[in-house]
Amino acid sequence: MTRRRALITGITGQDGSYLAEFLLENGYEVIGMVRRTSTVNFDRIRHIQDKITLVQGDLLDQMSLVDILREYRPREVYNLAAQSFVPTSWKQPVLTGEFTALGVTRMLEAIRIVDPEIRFYQASSSEMFGKVREVPQNEHTPFYPRSPYGVAKVYAHWITVNYRESYNLFACSGILFNHESPRRGLEFVTHKVTYGASRIKLGLDHELRLGNLDARRDWGYAGDYVQAMWLMLQQNEPDDYVIATGRTHSVRDLCELAFGYLGLDWQKYVISDPQFMRPAEVDLLVGDASKAHAKLGWEPTCTFEQLIQMMVDADMQALQGNRR
């Protein structure tokens, strides 16, 4: 029996590494697309690197995508690559648009040209809701993005819908709310907090500077969310789904939990610094994943408290290991 083959763009990122693990466990042959740069970081996939095939390609280069699809003939394509850090999107808005928006068009066009039977997953984002029109947000909530990243994701989302309806492609978008893990980049607030709290606990730092402490997010575990990506491509018909926990917490709650887990009073160490405020803030994101529950049978397994404790434990272990 031929093994199912999947291509993952962004395989070296948090979601890419968890998805690659999940697909390998389910008997897939995994192809990972990586850009040829001087700073590629393979740390997240080091433990499975000998089990996957890494190929060079770039969402900025149409022909590299066509060539990869022609050579490897994947049955499923998961597009997780993007310029995904919101603050950077204000500093590099054009580049963010090239990768996060037009890059999706290039991949969809490559699929249309090479093999329209390929099943395609697009990583949409709760940042598309931005200045939210209703609470909670579901698949029908109007978008109101508040950053170049959010705007680019809206384009990527609608071009996916457009190719599905225009060319009958099996193209799905997962509107994923914030999802975290010990593999999350240190620039993201959850990991910034758990890592900062751990450094303070070990006497390596004495303060942590953050932006808006009142911003509220729906935070889940990345390991749960990649399973939802896969489930979308196993359905009879393509569709779009909100993936979320339905629970919301503030950055202040995050600090209280992470520092409290280490026996620290966060208020003694955390400073709200204007330099970390966004030009246009997204105050409240909380998702309604009822459709995913009903149609995909998907449910989150990890609570917010378990997630933050998992991240703190991993940071403490890593930092203590570095001190030896």
Side-chain angles (χ1 to χ4, degrees):
M1 182 176 175
T2 305
R3 296 171 67 195
R4 288 191 289 181
R5 184 178 297 158
L7 170 67
I8 303 173
T9 73
I11 194 169
T12 60
Q14 170 189 255
D15 292 6
S17 66
Y18 280 110
L19 179 60
E21 284 179 347
F22 177 84
L23 294 177
L24 287 171
E25 289 168 2
N26 283 274
Y28 276 71
E29 180 181 349
V30 176
I31 314 298
M33 190 181 90
V34 295
R35 298 178 63 217
R36 189 181 185 279
T37 71
S38 59
T39 56
V40 176
N41 186 341
F42 293 106
D43 286 351
R44 295 184 182 94
I45 58 170
R46 191 85 62 192
H47 61 297
I48 55 172
Q49 202 167 334
D50 61 339
K51 300 176 183 176
I52 60 181
T53 301
L54 295 178
V55 297
Q56 288 185 1
D58 199 315
L59 290 178
L60 301 186
D61 180 13
Q62 177 86 56
M63 282 310 300
S64 70
L65 306 180
V66 170
D67 289 344
I68 289 171
L69 295 183
R70 280 179 174 159
E71 181 174 356
Y72 292 97
R73 296 288 173 173
R75 174 182 169 181
E76 299 169 2
V77 170
Y78 296 86
N79 184 48
L80 310 184
Q83 191 301 99
S84 60
F85 188 46
V86 174
T88 297
S89 74
W90 274 289
K91 295 181 179 179
Q92 296 182 301
V94 176
L95 185 66
T96 298
E98 286 285 353
F99 275 117
T100 307
L102 291 178
V104 181
T105 313
R106 296 185 187 102
M107 179 61 83
L108 285 165
E109 188 67 4
I111 289 172
R112 186 184 71 83
I113 292 168
V114 176
D115 182 2
E117 295 302 309
I118 289 172
R119 297 191 168 203
F120 175 76
Y121 171 83
Q122 166 58 19
S124 287
S125 168
S126 60
E127 287 286 333
M128 300 189 304
F129 295 121
K131 191 175 182 179
V132 298
R133 306 287 86 188
E134 62 184 10
V135 179
Q137 296 89 53
N138 61 34
E139 293 81 4
H140 302 292
T141 301
F143 299 137
Y144 195 143
R146 299 273 279 172
S147 67
Y149 169 76
V151 172
K153 280 292 187 181
V154 169
Y155 174 96
H157 179 85
W158 282 117
I159 200 67
T160 300
V161 172
N162 184 259
Y163 268 66
R164 177 170 73 219
E165 295 178 350
S166 301
Y167 301 114
N168 200 32
L169 296 185
F170 195 107
C172 301
S173 280
I175 307 173
L176 271 56
F177 280 65
N178 294 67
H179 46 289
E180 320 296 320
S181 75
R183 300 178 193 174
R184 189 60 143 153
L186 283 172
E187 67 272 24
F188 292 89
V189 68
T190 45
H191 206 177
K192 186 175 180 181
V193 168
T194 62
Y195 187 74
S198 299
R199 286 185 60 85
I200 289 169
K201 177 67 175 180
L202 295 172
L204 300 173
D205 277 327
H206 63 278
E207 69 178 25
L208 176 62
R209 293 182 174 268
L210 300 171
N212 181 10
L213 301 180
D214 295 318
R216 301 185 69 86
R217 295 291 184 271
D218 183 329
W219 279 300
Y221 172 49
D224 287 339
Y225 284 37
V226 299
Q227 184 180 9
M229 301 176 187
W230 176 77
L231 285 168
M232 290 178 210
L233 298 196
Q234 312 314 308
Q235 305 306 303
N236 292 328
E237 299 294 333
D239 208 344
D240 306 322
Y241 297 87
V242 163
I243 303 299
T245 70
R247 298 179 62 206
T248 182
H249 301 85
S250 67
V251 176
R252 185 176 276 103
D253 296 335
L254 166 63
C255 292
E256 184 175 1
L257 181 58
F259 279 82
Y261 183 55
L262 292 171
L264 300 173
D265 179 358
W266 71 273
Q267 296 180 82
K268 294 181 179 178
Y269 306 101
V270 174
I271 299 169
S272 183
D273 189 332
Q275 73 166 312
F276 295 113
M277 298 290 186
R278 296 182 178 186
E281 185 57 78
V282 174
D283 296 312
L284 171 64
L285 292 174
V286 55
D288 175 6
S290 300
K291 181 178 174 180
H293 300 330
K295 291 194 172 184
L296 304 179
W298 178 84
E299 297 282 350
T301 66
C302 182
T303 68
F304 178 67
E305 292 76 16
Q306 291 170 332
L307 170 64
I308 299 307
Q309 291 173 8
M310 177 200 312
M311 293 176 68
V312 170
D313 286 341
D315 287 332
M316 287 293 290
Q317 184 177 358
L319 286 165
Q320 289 171 326
N322 291 338
R323 296 175 80 186
R324 293 194 182 101

